[in-house]
Amino acid sequence: MLDRRPSHDDLVDHLVRSTALQRGEAARVVLDVLAYFDETTEEFVRRRHRELQSGGAVNAEIFERIAAELPHRAVAPPELSLRQLRRVVYG
């Protein structure tokens, strides 16, 4: 069976040339970055909510901060209201 995952060898090669990373480390970095940006808006909102809550922030701060962060994602989602953000977390 053919592997249909895109190859990122050129990016891995670039990281090896431009950093102190070894090839295996560079490949892991690329995969980690791709996984980070593959996250859906809902997954991002839930993850950030958990992270900020575990850091002691309260919901009022958390949802304001998430709303401010969303437009800066690699592919910015449509603007979500604070109510919509709460619904993502709590259903």
Side-chain angles (χ1 to χ4, degrees):
M1 180 169 268
L2 294 175
D3 184 6
R4 297 204 181 262
R5 287 178 289 163
S7 171
H8 300 288
D9 288 341
D10 57 334
L11 180 55
V12 172
D13 292 341
H14 171 74
L15 288 173
V16 169
R17 283 191 309 272
S18 63
T19 69
L21 295 174
Q22 298 297 314
R23 185 161 190 77
E25 295 168 322
R28 282 191 300 279
V29 167
V30 168
L31 292 176
D32 284 348
V33 170
L34 291 173
Y36 177 84
F37 286 114
D38 195 35
E39 195 173 44
T40 66
T41 299
E42 289 79 9
E43 291 167 338
F44 171 78
V45 170
R46 288 184 191 110
R47 178 179 59 78
R48 286 299 289 147
H49 182 269
R50 281 191 310 273
E51 291 170 353
L52 295 169
Q53 196 173 48
S54 70
V58 296
N59 276 344
E61 301 169 20
I62 290 171
F63 291 117
E64 290 284 342
R65 180 145 173 207
I66 292 172
E69 291 176 356
L70 279 173
H72 302 286
R73 300 280 295 161
V75 177
E79 186 174 335
L80 299 174
S81 69
L82 298 180
R83 180 176 182 208
Q84 288 170 310
L85 291 172
R86 285 184 189 92
R87 291 197 73 185
V88 167
V89 173
Y90 297 112

